Amino acid sequence: ALVRRVTCADGSVTSNAACCALFPVIQDLQTNLFDGGECGEEVHESLRLTFHDAIGISPAIASRGQFGGGGADGSIALFEDIETNFHANNGVDEIIDEQRPLIQRHNLTTADFIQLAGAIGVSNCPGAPRLAVFVGRPDATQPAPDLTVPEPFDTVDSILQRFDDAGGFTPAEVVALLGSHTIAAADHVDPSIPGTPFDSTPELFDTQFFIETQLRGTLFPGTGGNQGEVESPLRGELRLQSDSELARDSRTACEWQSFVNNQAKLQSAFAAAFRKMTILGHDESSLIDCSDVVPTPPAPASSAHLPAGLTHNDVEQACASTPFPTLPTDPGPATTVAPVPPS
Ligand code: HEM
Ligand SMILES: [Ca+2]
Ligand SMILES: [Mn+2]
C-alpha cells in the first residue's frame, strides 16, 4: 500500500496533514497533564476515561426507541453534570476537570481529545503497545444513558452482555481490555485507602495483573465489606470482584491465563480491542487514522514472576485445559504494594 508522508510546519512527519494539529496537543499533554511523561495517576485516569466515554452506547436501548448514547463522543465531559452522577463514573470528574483547560486551548473535539489523551498517556508506560489514534469524531449533543458502564459487582453474565451490546466485543476482547487494569488503582472502592493498585506494578504495562488476580485471595488491603471488592493476595493490593470472577469463569479463565507471561499477546490483543473501543459510535471510514503520532512506549521493564512470599501453590487454577505457567518467585520478604502517589 502507498504510505503517505506529510511534513508538518514544526518538522514532524505523519501520514495525513490533519494529524499535524496533534503534535502541539501531545506536547501539552506530556508537559502539563502527565508530569513530563510519567505513567502515573493522570495516565491511569485518562485511560479509564476513554472507556467510560466510549462504552456509553447501547443499541439495545436504541432499539426500544430511546437515545442509546453516542459512544466515544465526549459526552462524559460535555455532560459532566449528568454522567459523573452515574454511580459507575465515581471519580472521573477529577480527570475531566484536569483535561478541560487543555481541551480549551486546542482545536480538537472533546471526543477526539479524550481518546488521544488515553493513547498518549499509555505510551509513557513501559511494556505498553502503541495505541491507535483517530480524529474526526463529532462531539455529543446528548448525554449517554445511565447503566452503560459496568460495575465491579456486576455478574460475568451482565458484563459480557454489556460489552456485546455496546460493540459486539467477544469474551476474549473483554479479557484483553481488562489488561488496562495492569496500570490502575482504585480511589473509591475502599475510600479509606485511595490509590490502591490492582497489581504490584501499576506503573508498568506488564502481565502481573493476570498473574496476581489468579492467586488465592487472603486479605483486604483496607477495610472489608466494600461493594465490588474481594480479598487480594498482597498487602496494599485491591482486587475487584469482577476481575476475580472473570479470571475464574469457564468462559474467560483460559483466555485470562493466556496473558500470563505473554507480553506480546497482551500488547497485540489490548491494542486491537482498544482500537475497536476508541471508535465506538463511529464509522471508521469517517475518521482519519493518526496512529503514527503516538510515541513508541519504553520496552518492558519487568519479567513475569510470582510476588515474593507466594508460590505456585497459591495459584487458584481456573483454566481446565492448560496448567498455569511455571514462574519464578521474587526473592525477599513478602511483597507489600505501595499506593499510587496522588499528583
Ligand atoms: C468489567 C469491566 C470493568 C469494570 C467493572 C471496571 C471497574 C473499575 C473500577 C471499580 C475501578 C476503580 C475506580 C476507583 O475506585 O477509583 C477501575 C479503575 C480503572 N479502570 Fe476499570 N473497569 C472495567 C473495565 C475497564 C476497561 C475496559 C478499561 C480501559 C480500557 C479500564 C480502565 C481502568 C483504569 C486505567 C483504572 C485505574 C484508574 C486510576 O488508577 O485512577 N477499566 N475500573
Ligand atoms: Ca502492572
Ligand atoms: Mn460518551
Side-chain angles (χ1 to χ4, degrees), residues 126 179-184 198-210 212 266 302:
S180 57
H181 284 179
T182 186
I183 49 168
F198 296 153
D199 78 357
S200 57
T201 54
E203 70 295 342
L204 303 177
F205 201 99
D206 58 11
T207 71
Q208 285 306 121
F209 169 72
F210 291 101
E212 294 169 23
L266 174 61
S302 66

Side-chain angles (χ1 to χ4, degrees), residues 41 43-45 47-48 50-52 90 150-153 159 163 174 177-178 180-181 183-189 198 240 242-243 246 270 274 277:
E41 192 189 21
V43 166
H44 305 171
E45 290 187 341
L47 178 57
R48 182 176 179 226
T50 64
F51 172 53
H52 287 230
N90 194 5
E151 293 271 21
F153 47 82
I159 289 168
F163 276 94
V174 174
L177 281 171
L178 282 162
S180 57
H181 284 179
I183 49 168
D187 284 336
H188 301 281
V189 175
F198 296 153
L240 296 179
S242 47
D243 290 336
L246 285 160
F270 182 75
F274 178 88
M277 184 189 88

Side-chain angles (χ1 to χ4, degrees), residues 49-57 67 69-77 79 83 111 114-115 140 142-145 148 280:
L49 191 65
T50 64
F51 172 53
H52 287 230
D53 190 29
I55 201 72
I57 183 166
F67 180 61
D73 61 357
S75 63
I76 198 155
F79 296 95
E83 291 195 32
I114 287 173
Q115 299 300 320
Q142 297 179 68
T148 63
L280 280 173

Side-chain angles (χ1 to χ4, degrees), residues 28 97 99-108 110 113:
D28 200 1
D97 294 345
Q99 289 187 0
R100 177 164 290 112
L102 282 82
I103 297 176
Q104 283 167 348
R105 19 182 213 269
H106 297 284
N107 193 22
L108 273 183
T110 298
F113 182 93

